[in-house]
PDB file of all heavy atoms in Angstrom:
ATOM      1  N   SER A   7     -46.411 -11.301 -29.539  1.00 97.00           N
ATOM      2  CA  SER A   7     -47.680 -11.143 -28.807  1.00 97.00           C
ATOM      3  C   SER A   7     -47.636  -9.852 -27.972  1.00 97.00           C
ATOM      4  O   SER A   7     -48.661  -9.340 -27.565  1.00 97.00           O
ATOM      5  CB  SER A   7     -47.915 -12.324 -27.876  1.00 97.00           C
ATOM      6  OG  SER A   7     -46.849 -12.483 -26.970  1.00 97.00           O
ATOM      7  N   GLU A   8     -46.426  -9.316 -27.766  1.00 97.00           N
ATOM      8  CA  GLU A   8     -46.272  -8.118 -26.939  1.00 97.00           C
ATOM      9  C   GLU A   8     -45.540  -7.011 -27.694  1.00 97.00           C
ATOM     10  O   GLU A   8     -44.603  -7.307 -28.456  1.00 97.00           O
ATOM     11  CB  GLU A   8     -45.485  -8.433 -25.655  1.00 97.00           C
ATOM     12  CG  GLU A   8     -46.097  -9.548 -24.804  1.00 97.00           C
ATOM     13  CD  GLU A   8     -45.293  -9.803 -23.558  1.00 97.00           C
ATOM     14  OE1 GLU A   8     -44.896  -8.834 -22.875  1.00 97.00           O
ATOM     15  OE2 GLU A   8     -45.030 -10.984 -23.261  1.00 97.00           O
ATOM     16  N   VAL A   9     -45.952  -5.782 -27.449  1.00 97.00           N
ATOM     17  CA  VAL A   9     -45.228  -4.628 -27.966  1.00 97.00           C
ATOM     18  C   VAL A   9     -44.555  -3.901 -26.811  1.00 97.00           C
ATOM     19  O   VAL A   9     -45.189  -3.632 -25.768  1.00 97.00           O
ATOM     20  CB  VAL A   9     -46.162  -3.650 -28.719  1.00 97.00           C
ATOM     21  CG1 VAL A   9     -45.353  -2.468 -29.264  1.00 97.00           C
ATOM     22  CG2 VAL A   9     -46.886  -4.364 -29.845  1.00 97.00           C
ATOM     23  N   PHE A  10     -43.299  -3.604 -26.987  1.00 97.00           N
ATOM     24  CA  PHE A  10     -42.451  -2.939 -25.963  1.00 97.00           C
ATOM     25  C   PHE A  10     -42.078  -1.590 -26.538  1.00 97.00           C
ATOM     26  O   PHE A  10     -41.368  -1.519 -27.551  1.00 97.00           O
ATOM     27  CB  PHE A  10     -41.211  -3.843 -25.712  1.00 97.00           C
ATOM     28  CG  PHE A  10     -40.244  -3.343 -24.683  1.00 97.00           C
ATOM     29  CD1 PHE A  10     -39.238  -4.193 -24.236  1.00 97.00           C
ATOM     30  CD2 PHE A  10     -40.272  -2.054 -24.172  1.00 97.00           C
ATOM     31  CE1 PHE A  10     -38.329  -3.785 -23.301  1.00 97.00           C
ATOM     32  CE2 PHE A  10     -39.353  -1.639 -23.222  1.00 97.00           C
ATOM     33  CZ  PHE A  10     -38.359  -2.495 -22.802  1.00 97.00           C
ATOM     34  N   ILE A  11     -42.565  -0.494 -25.921  1.00 95.00           N
ATOM     35  CA  ILE A  11     -42.370   0.850 -26.483  1.00 95.00           C
ATOM     36  C   ILE A  11     -41.416   1.664 -25.606  1.00 95.00           C
ATOM     37  O   ILE A  11     -41.755   1.993 -24.471  1.00 95.00           O
ATOM     38  CB  ILE A  11     -43.697   1.605 -26.621  1.00 95.00           C
ATOM     39  CG1 ILE A  11     -44.717   0.771 -27.416  1.00 95.00           C
ATOM     40  CG2 ILE A  11     -43.468   2.961 -27.290  1.00 95.00           C
ATOM     41  CD1 ILE A  11     -46.086   1.445 -27.523  1.00 95.00           C
ATOM     42  N   PRO A  12     -40.218   2.002 -26.119  1.00 94.00           N
ATOM     43  CA  PRO A  12     -39.370   2.956 -25.430  1.00 94.00           C
ATOM     44  C   PRO A  12     -39.841   4.384 -25.749  1.00 94.00           C
ATOM     45  O   PRO A  12     -40.130   4.681 -26.906  1.00 94.00           O
ATOM     46  CB  PRO A  12     -37.975   2.716 -25.981  1.00 94.00           C
ATOM     47  CG  PRO A  12     -38.092   1.529 -26.912  1.00 94.00           C
ATOM     48  CD  PRO A  12     -39.536   1.433 -27.282  1.00 94.00           C
ATOM     49  N   ILE A  13     -39.942   5.220 -24.739  1.00 91.00           N
ATOM     50  CA  ILE A  13     -40.369   6.620 -24.927  1.00 91.00           C
ATOM     51  C   ILE A  13     -39.335   7.530 -24.259  1.00 91.00           C
ATOM     52  O   ILE A  13     -39.062   7.388 -23.060  1.00 91.00           O
ATOM     53  CB  ILE A  13     -41.753   6.879 -24.327  1.00 91.00           C
ATOM     54  CG1 ILE A  13     -42.804   6.013 -25.038  1.00 91.00           C
ATOM     55  CG2 ILE A  13     -42.141   8.351 -24.413  1.00 91.00           C
ATOM     56  CD1 ILE A  13     -44.205   6.195 -24.475  1.00 91.00           C
ATOM     57  N   GLN A  14     -38.785   8.461 -25.023  1.00 88.00           N
ATOM     58  CA  GLN A  14     -37.786   9.359 -24.430  1.00 88.00           C
ATOM     59  C   GLN A  14     -38.488  10.466 -23.624  1.00 88.00           C
ATOM     60  O   GLN A  14     -39.606  10.883 -23.956  1.00 88.00           O
ATOM     61  CB  GLN A  14     -36.923   9.995 -25.524  1.00 88.00           C
ATOM     62  CG  GLN A  14     -37.678  10.920 -26.447  1.00 88.00           C
ATOM     63  CD  GLN A  14     -36.829  11.421 -27.610  1.00 88.00           C
ATOM     64  OE1 GLN A  14     -37.215  11.338 -28.764  1.00 88.00           O
ATOM     65  NE2 GLN A  14     -35.655  11.935 -27.299  1.00 88.00           N
ATOM     66  N   CYS A  15     -37.849  10.889 -22.564  1.00 85.00           N
ATOM     67  CA  CYS A  15     -38.430  11.911 -21.688  1.00 85.00           C
ATOM     68  C   CYS A  15     -38.140  13.315 -22.221  1.00 85.00           C
ATOM     69  O   CYS A  15     -37.409  14.089 -21.627  1.00 85.00           O
ATOM     70  CB  CYS A  15     -37.887  11.750 -20.272  1.00 85.00           C
ATOM     71  SG  CYS A  15     -38.378  10.221 -19.514  1.00 85.00           S
ATOM     72  N   GLU A  16     -38.705  13.600 -23.399  1.00 81.00           N
ATOM     73  CA  GLU A  16     -38.513  14.906 -24.019  1.00 81.00           C
ATOM     74  C   GLU A  16     -39.860  15.393 -24.571  1.00 81.00           C
ATOM     75  O   GLU A  16     -40.848  14.666 -24.594  1.00 81.00           O
ATOM     76  CB  GLU A  16     -37.443  14.817 -25.090  1.00 81.00           C
ATOM     77  CG  GLU A  16     -36.049  14.522 -24.523  1.00 81.00           C
ATOM     78  CD  GLU A  16     -34.946  14.629 -25.545  1.00 81.00           C
ATOM     79  OE1 GLU A  16     -35.243  14.918 -26.708  1.00 81.00           O
ATOM     80  OE2 GLU A  16     -33.773  14.444 -25.156  1.00 81.00           O
ATOM     81  N   TYR A  17     -39.834  16.614 -25.082  1.00 76.00           N
ATOM     82  CA  TYR A  17     -41.049  17.318 -25.426  1.00 76.00           C
ATOM     83  C   TYR A  17     -41.928  16.550 -26.407  1.00 76.00           C
ATOM     84  O   TYR A  17     -43.138  16.505 -26.283  1.00 76.00           O
ATOM     85  CB  TYR A  17     -40.720  18.690 -25.982  1.00 76.00           C
ATOM     86  CG  TYR A  17     -41.925  19.519 -26.343  1.00 76.00           C
ATOM     87  CD1 TYR A  17     -42.719  20.094 -25.338  1.00 76.00           C
ATOM     88  CD2 TYR A  17     -42.298  19.712 -27.655  1.00 76.00           C
ATOM     89  CE1 TYR A  17     -43.825  20.830 -25.665  1.00 76.00           C
ATOM     90  CE2 TYR A  17     -43.410  20.457 -27.976  1.00 76.00           C
ATOM     91  CZ  TYR A  17     -44.177  21.014 -26.991  1.00 76.00           C
ATOM     92  OH  TYR A  17     -45.275  21.761 -27.293  1.00 76.00           O
ATOM     93  N   TYR A  18     -41.308  15.930 -27.427  1.00 77.00           N
ATOM     94  CA  TYR A  18     -42.076  15.266 -28.474  1.00 77.00           C
ATOM     95  C   TYR A  18     -42.329  13.785 -28.143  1.00 77.00           C
ATOM     96  O   TYR A  18     -42.643  12.978 -29.058  1.00 77.00           O
ATOM     97  CB  TYR A  18     -41.365  15.370 -29.813  1.00 77.00           C
ATOM     98  CG  TYR A  18     -41.257  16.784 -30.340  1.00 77.00           C
ATOM     99  CD1 TYR A  18     -40.034  17.415 -30.453  1.00 77.00           C
ATOM    100  CD2 TYR A  18     -42.410  17.481 -30.713  1.00 77.00           C
ATOM    101  CE1 TYR A  18     -39.950  18.721 -30.908  1.00 77.00           C
ATOM    102  CE2 TYR A  18     -42.330  18.797 -31.184  1.00 77.00           C
ATOM    103  CZ  TYR A  18     -41.088  19.393 -31.277  1.00 77.00           C
ATOM    104  OH  TYR A  18     -40.992  20.685 -31.746  1.00 77.00           O
ATOM    105  N   ALA A  19     -42.217  13.419 -26.895  1.00 75.00           N
ATOM    106  CA  ALA A  19     -42.309  12.017 -26.516  1.00 75.00           C
ATOM    107  C   ALA A  19     -43.600  11.332 -27.011  1.00 75.00           C
ATOM    108  O   ALA A  19     -43.560  10.202 -27.532  1.00 75.00           O
ATOM    109  CB  ALA A  19     -42.210  11.886 -25.008  1.00 75.00           C
ATOM    110  N   LEU A  20     -44.715  11.998 -26.828  1.00 77.00           N
ATOM    111  CA  LEU A  20     -45.995  11.360 -27.165  1.00 77.00           C
ATOM    112  C   LEU A  20     -46.426  11.635 -28.596  1.00 77.00           C
ATOM    113  O   LEU A  20     -47.467  11.136 -29.037  1.00 77.00           O
ATOM    114  CB  LEU A  20     -47.075  11.818 -26.196  1.00 77.00           C
ATOM    115  CG  LEU A  20     -46.826  11.493 -24.724  1.00 77.00           C
ATOM    116  CD1 LEU A  20     -47.895  12.075 -23.837  1.00 77.00           C
ATOM    117  CD2 LEU A  20     -46.733   9.994 -24.516  1.00 77.00           C
ATOM    118  N   GLU A  21     -45.636  12.449 -29.318  1.00 76.00           N
ATOM    119  CA  GLU A  21     -45.992  12.754 -30.699  1.00 76.00           C
ATOM    120  C   GLU A  21     -45.847  11.495 -31.548  1.00 76.00           C
ATOM    121  O   GLU A  21     -44.823  10.834 -31.555  1.00 76.00           O
ATOM    122  CB  GLU A  21     -45.077  13.850 -31.248  1.00 76.00           C
ATOM    123  CG  GLU A  21     -45.517  14.356 -32.627  1.00 76.00           C
ATOM    124  CD  GLU A  21     -44.711  15.558 -33.072  1.00 76.00           C
ATOM    125  OE1 GLU A  21     -44.955  16.674 -32.573  1.00 76.00           O
ATOM    126  OE2 GLU A  21     -43.796  15.382 -33.874  1.00 76.00           O
ATOM    127  N   GLY A  22     -46.854  11.143 -32.286  1.00 72.00           N
ATOM    128  CA  GLY A  22     -46.829   9.966 -33.106  1.00 72.00           C
ATOM    129  C   GLY A  22     -47.204   8.692 -32.382  1.00 72.00           C
ATOM    130  O   GLY A  22     -47.405   7.655 -33.006  1.00 72.00           O
ATOM    131  N   LEU A  23     -47.277   8.754 -31.043  1.00 83.00           N
ATOM    132  CA  LEU A  23     -47.613   7.521 -30.285  1.00 83.00           C
ATOM    133  C   LEU A  23     -49.041   7.076 -30.587  1.00 83.00           C
ATOM    134  O   LEU A  23     -49.316   5.883 -30.695  1.00 83.00           O
ATOM    135  CB  LEU A  23     -47.408   7.755 -28.802  1.00 83.00           C
ATOM    136  CG  LEU A  23     -47.631   6.548 -27.893  1.00 83.00           C
ATOM    137  CD1 LEU A  23     -46.680   5.408 -28.297  1.00 83.00           C
ATOM    138  CD2 LEU A  23     -47.411   6.925 -26.438  1.00 83.00           C
ATOM    139  N   SER A  24     -49.941   8.032 -30.752  1.00 82.00           N
ATOM    140  CA  SER A  24     -51.327   7.687 -31.054  1.00 82.00           C
ATOM    141  C   SER A  24     -51.429   6.943 -32.398  1.00 82.00           C
ATOM    142  O   SER A  24     -52.189   5.982 -32.506  1.00 82.00           O
ATOM    143  CB  SER A  24     -52.205   8.923 -31.073  1.00 82.00           C
ATOM    144  OG  SER A  24     -51.781   9.836 -32.080  1.00 82.00           O
ATOM    145  N   GLN A  25     -50.616   7.364 -33.391  1.00 83.00           N
ATOM    146  CA  GLN A  25     -50.639   6.685 -34.675  1.00 83.00           C
ATOM    147  C   GLN A  25     -50.065   5.265 -34.532  1.00 83.00           C
ATOM    148  O   GLN A  25     -50.566   4.320 -35.138  1.00 83.00           O
ATOM    149  CB  GLN A  25     -49.831   7.458 -35.709  1.00 83.00           C
ATOM    150  CG  GLN A  25     -49.875   6.891 -37.116  1.00 83.00           C
ATOM    151  CD  GLN A  25     -51.305   6.840 -37.652  1.00 83.00           C
ATOM    152  OE1 GLN A  25     -52.074   7.784 -37.540  1.00 83.00           O
ATOM    153  NE2 GLN A  25     -51.684   5.695 -38.236  1.00 83.00           N
ATOM    154  N   LEU A  26     -48.998   5.118 -33.735  1.00 88.00           N
ATOM    155  CA  LEU A  26     -48.453   3.794 -33.476  1.00 88.00           C
ATOM    156  C   LEU A  26     -49.502   2.875 -32.838  1.00 88.00           C
ATOM    157  O   LEU A  26     -49.657   1.728 -33.244  1.00 88.00           O
ATOM    158  CB  LEU A  26     -47.223   3.931 -32.569  1.00 88.00           C
ATOM    159  CG  LEU A  26     -46.593   2.606 -32.069  1.00 88.00           C
ATOM    160  CD1 LEU A  26     -46.075   1.789 -33.242  1.00 88.00           C
ATOM    161  CD2 LEU A  26     -45.467   2.872 -31.074  1.00 88.00           C
ATOM    162  N   LEU A  27     -50.224   3.403 -31.866  1.00 91.00           N
ATOM    163  CA  LEU A  27     -51.241   2.608 -31.179  1.00 91.00           C
ATOM    164  C   LEU A  27     -52.384   2.221 -32.137  1.00 91.00           C
ATOM    165  O   LEU A  27     -52.909   1.122 -32.055  1.00 91.00           O
ATOM    166  CB  LEU A  27     -51.789   3.372 -29.974  1.00 91.00           C
ATOM    167  CG  LEU A  27     -50.786   3.632 -28.861  1.00 91.00           C
ATOM    168  CD1 LEU A  27     -51.417   4.500 -27.792  1.00 91.00           C
ATOM    169  CD2 LEU A  27     -50.270   2.330 -28.275  1.00 91.00           C
ATOM    170  N   LYS A  28     -52.713   3.135 -33.065  1.00 90.00           N
ATOM    171  CA  LYS A  28     -53.736   2.806 -34.051  1.00 90.00           C
ATOM    172  C   LYS A  28     -53.287   1.683 -34.976  1.00 90.00           C
ATOM    173  O   LYS A  28     -54.056   0.789 -35.310  1.00 90.00           O
ATOM    174  CB  LYS A  28     -54.063   4.053 -34.892  1.00 90.00           C
ATOM    175  CG  LYS A  28     -54.862   5.102 -34.161  1.00 90.00           C
ATOM    176  CD  LYS A  28     -55.112   6.322 -35.029  1.00 90.00           C
ATOM    177  CE  LYS A  28     -55.864   7.415 -34.253  1.00 90.00           C
ATOM    178  NZ  LYS A  28     -56.010   8.648 -35.074  1.00 90.00           N
ATOM    179  N   ASN A  29     -52.003   1.714 -35.361  1.00 91.00           N
ATOM    180  CA  ASN A  29     -51.478   0.673 -36.219  1.00 91.00           C
ATOM    181  C   ASN A  29     -51.409  -0.663 -35.490  1.00 91.00           C
ATOM    182  O   ASN A  29     -51.683  -1.724 -36.086  1.00 91.00           O
ATOM    183  CB  ASN A  29     -50.095   1.060 -36.767  1.00 91.00           C
ATOM    184  CG  ASN A  29     -50.175   2.028 -37.926  1.00 91.00           C
ATOM    185  OD1 ASN A  29     -50.305   1.627 -39.059  1.00 91.00           O
ATOM    186  ND2 ASN A  29     -50.091   3.308 -37.629  1.00 91.00           N
ATOM    187  N   ILE A  30     -51.067  -0.622 -34.218  1.00 94.00           N
ATOM    188  CA  ILE A  30     -51.040  -1.844 -33.433  1.00 94.00           C
ATOM    189  C   ILE A  30     -52.451  -2.437 -33.355  1.00 94.00           C
ATOM    190  O   ILE A  30     -52.647  -3.639 -33.492  1.00 94.00           O
ATOM    191  CB  ILE A  30     -50.485  -1.553 -32.018  1.00 94.00           C
ATOM    192  CG1 ILE A  30     -48.991  -1.233 -32.103  1.00 94.00           C
ATOM    193  CG2 ILE A  30     -50.724  -2.764 -31.098  1.00 94.00           C
ATOM    194  CD1 ILE A  30     -48.414  -0.703 -30.813  1.00 94.00           C
ATOM    195  N   GLU A  31     -53.430  -1.567 -33.174  1.00 95.00           N
ATOM    196  CA  GLU A  31     -54.818  -2.020 -33.106  1.00 95.00           C
ATOM    197  C   GLU A  31     -55.284  -2.627 -34.436  1.00 95.00           C
ATOM    198  O   GLU A  31     -56.005  -3.621 -34.472  1.00 95.00           O
ATOM    199  CB  GLU A  31     -55.739  -0.855 -32.704  1.00 95.00           C
ATOM    200  CG  GLU A  31     -57.208  -1.185 -32.633  1.00 95.00           C
ATOM    201  CD  GLU A  31     -57.532  -2.292 -31.623  1.00 95.00           C
ATOM    202  OE1 GLU A  31     -56.730  -2.460 -30.673  1.00 95.00           O
ATOM    203  OE2 GLU A  31     -58.545  -2.981 -31.802  1.00 95.00           O
ATOM    204  N   LEU A  32     -54.847  -2.027 -35.558  1.00 94.00           N
ATOM    205  CA  LEU A  32     -55.197  -2.574 -36.881  1.00 94.00           C
ATOM    206  C   LEU A  32     -54.584  -3.970 -37.061  1.00 94.00           C
ATOM    207  O   LEU A  32     -55.259  -4.893 -37.564  1.00 94.00           O
ATOM    208  CB  LEU A  32     -54.715  -1.646 -37.986  1.00 94.00           C
ATOM    209  CG  LEU A  32     -55.531  -0.378 -38.213  1.00 94.00           C
ATOM    210  CD1 LEU A  32     -54.817   0.533 -39.210  1.00 94.00           C
ATOM    211  CD2 LEU A  32     -56.934  -0.724 -38.744  1.00 94.00           C
ATOM    212  N   VAL A  33     -53.344  -4.141 -36.672  1.00 94.00           N
ATOM    213  CA  VAL A  33     -52.696  -5.453 -36.789  1.00 94.00           C
ATOM    214  C   VAL A  33     -53.393  -6.436 -35.867  1.00 94.00           C
ATOM    215  O   VAL A  33     -53.653  -7.598 -36.243  1.00 94.00           O
ATOM    216  CB  VAL A  33     -51.198  -5.333 -36.415  1.00 94.00           C
ATOM    217  CG1 VAL A  33     -50.555  -6.725 -36.342  1.00 94.00           C
ATOM    218  CG2 VAL A  33     -50.449  -4.479 -37.441  1.00 94.00           C
ATOM    219  N   ARG A  34     -53.725  -6.008 -34.661  1.00 95.00           N
ATOM    220  CA  ARG A  34     -54.443  -6.890 -33.722  1.00 95.00           C
ATOM    221  C   ARG A  34     -55.783  -7.326 -34.288  1.00 95.00           C
ATOM    222  O   ARG A  34     -56.154  -8.505 -34.165  1.00 95.00           O
ATOM    223  CB  ARG A  34     -54.642  -6.151 -32.386  1.00 95.00           C
ATOM    224  CG  ARG A  34     -55.125  -7.071 -31.256  1.00 95.00           C
ATOM    225  CD  ARG A  34     -55.592  -6.248 -30.058  1.00 95.00           C
ATOM    226  NE  ARG A  34     -56.819  -5.525 -30.377  1.00 95.00           N
ATOM    227  CZ  ARG A  34     -58.010  -6.062 -30.449  1.00 95.00           C
ATOM    228  NH1 ARG A  34     -58.206  -7.338 -30.221  1.00 95.00           N
ATOM    229  NH2 ARG A  34     -59.061  -5.318 -30.751  1.00 95.00           N
ATOM    230  N   LYS A  35     -56.465  -6.411 -34.944  1.00 95.00           N
ATOM    231  CA  LYS A  35     -57.812  -6.710 -35.446  1.00 95.00           C
ATOM    232  C   LYS A  35     -57.772  -7.643 -36.661  1.00 95.00           C
ATOM    233  O   LYS A  35     -58.612  -8.534 -36.805  1.00 95.00           O
ATOM    234  CB  LYS A  35     -58.510  -5.406 -35.792  1.00 95.00           C
ATOM    235  CG  LYS A  35     -59.942  -5.574 -36.255  1.00 95.00           C
ATOM    236  CD  LYS A  35     -60.601  -4.211 -36.487  1.00 95.00           C
ATOM    237  CE  LYS A  35     -62.046  -4.373 -36.940  1.00 95.00           C
ATOM    238  NZ  LYS A  35     -62.686  -3.023 -37.182  1.00 95.00           N
ATOM    239  N   HIS A  36     -56.789  -7.435 -37.543  1.00 94.00           N
ATOM    240  CA  HIS A  36     -56.806  -8.144 -38.827  1.00 94.00           C
ATOM    241  C   HIS A  36     -55.792  -9.268 -38.958  1.00 94.00           C
ATOM    242  O   HIS A  36     -56.012 -10.192 -39.755  1.00 94.00           O
ATOM    243  CB  HIS A  36     -56.569  -7.140 -39.988  1.00 94.00           C
ATOM    244  CG  HIS A  36     -57.627  -6.102 -40.092  1.00 94.00           C
ATOM    245  ND1 HIS A  36     -58.896  -6.377 -40.583  1.00 94.00           N
ATOM    246  CD2 HIS A  36     -57.633  -4.778 -39.779  1.00 94.00           C
ATOM    247  CE1 HIS A  36     -59.629  -5.261 -40.584  1.00 94.00           C
ATOM    248  NE2 HIS A  36     -58.880  -4.293 -40.079  1.00 94.00           N
ATOM    249  N   LEU A  37     -54.687  -9.225 -38.180  1.00 94.00           N
ATOM    250  CA  LEU A  37     -53.612 -10.190 -38.421  1.00 94.00           C
ATOM    251  C   LEU A  37     -53.170 -10.948 -37.173  1.00 94.00           C
ATOM    252  O   LEU A  37     -52.734 -12.099 -37.278  1.00 94.00           O
ATOM    253  CB  LEU A  37     -52.385  -9.459 -38.999  1.00 94.00           C
ATOM    254  CG  LEU A  37     -52.550  -8.833 -40.392  1.00 94.00           C
ATOM    255  CD1 LEU A  37     -51.364  -7.933 -40.703  1.00 94.00           C
ATOM    256  CD2 LEU A  37     -52.676  -9.918 -41.449  1.00 94.00           C
ATOM    257  N   ASN A  38     -53.266 -10.328 -35.994  1.00 96.00           N
ATOM    258  CA  ASN A  38     -52.704 -10.958 -34.815  1.00 96.00           C
ATOM    259  C   ASN A  38     -53.519 -10.555 -33.578  1.00 96.00           C
ATOM    260  O   ASN A  38     -53.186  -9.592 -32.884  1.00 96.00           O
ATOM    261  CB  ASN A  38     -51.240 -10.538 -34.629  1.00 96.00           C
ATOM    262  CG  ASN A  38     -50.580 -11.211 -33.434  1.00 96.00           C
ATOM    263  OD1 ASN A  38     -51.166 -12.073 -32.777  1.00 96.00           O
ATOM    264  ND2 ASN A  38     -49.348 -10.821 -33.151  1.00 96.00           N
ATOM    265  N   PRO A  39     -54.568 -11.292 -33.253  1.00 96.00           N
ATOM    266  CA  PRO A  39     -55.461 -10.934 -32.134  1.00 96.00           C
ATOM    267  C   PRO A  39     -54.756 -10.909 -30.775  1.00 96.00           C
ATOM    268  O   PRO A  39     -55.225 -10.258 -29.844  1.00 96.00           O
ATOM    269  CB  PRO A  39     -56.518 -12.048 -32.161  1.00 96.00           C
ATOM    270  CG  PRO A  39     -56.460 -12.604 -33.512  1.00 96.00           C
ATOM    271  CD  PRO A  39     -55.049 -12.482 -33.965  1.00 96.00           C
ATOM    272  N   ALA A  40     -53.617 -11.577 -30.644  1.00 96.00           N
ATOM    273  CA  ALA A  40     -52.914 -11.649 -29.365  1.00 96.00           C
ATOM    274  C   ALA A  40     -52.049 -10.424 -29.084  1.00 96.00           C
ATOM    275  O   ALA A  40     -51.570 -10.232 -27.969  1.00 96.00           O
ATOM    276  CB  ALA A  40     -52.041 -12.896 -29.314  1.00 96.00           C
ATOM    277  N   LEU A  41     -51.874  -9.572 -30.082  1.00 97.00           N
ATOM    278  CA  LEU A  41     -50.943  -8.431 -29.948  1.00 97.00           C
ATOM    279  C   LEU A  41     -51.482  -7.390 -28.983  1.00 97.00           C
ATOM    280  O   LEU A  41     -52.644  -6.994 -29.044  1.00 97.00           O
ATOM    281  CB  LEU A  41     -50.711  -7.784 -31.308  1.00 97.00           C
ATOM    282  CG  LEU A  41     -49.600  -6.755 -31.383  1.00 97.00           C
ATOM    283  CD1 LEU A  41     -48.238  -7.379 -31.162  1.00 97.00           C
ATOM    284  CD2 LEU A  41     -49.618  -6.006 -32.723  1.00 97.00           C
TER     285      LEU A  41
END
């Protein structure tokens, strides 16, 4: 029901995070509304 995201404190920290959040939203919408 929860996603726990470790993020390193370096230059590319947020790179790819938007795609991860989009995938989490897709799973929430179609497979797991509690996520």
Side-chain angles (χ1 to χ4, degrees):
S7 58
E8 303 180 46
V9 181
F10 181 169
I11 306 177
I13 297 179
Q14 66 186 129
C15 294
E16 294 188 358
Y17 181 73
Y18 294 114
L20 299 176
E21 188 173 283
L23 185 58
S24 61
Q25 186 59 46
L26 173 63
L27 295 175
K28 287 178 183 176
N29 280 275
I30 291 170
E31 179 59 25
L32 283 173
V33 173
R34 191 192 67 76
K35 184 176 180 180
H36 297 287
L37 295 168
N38 182 6
L41 189 67

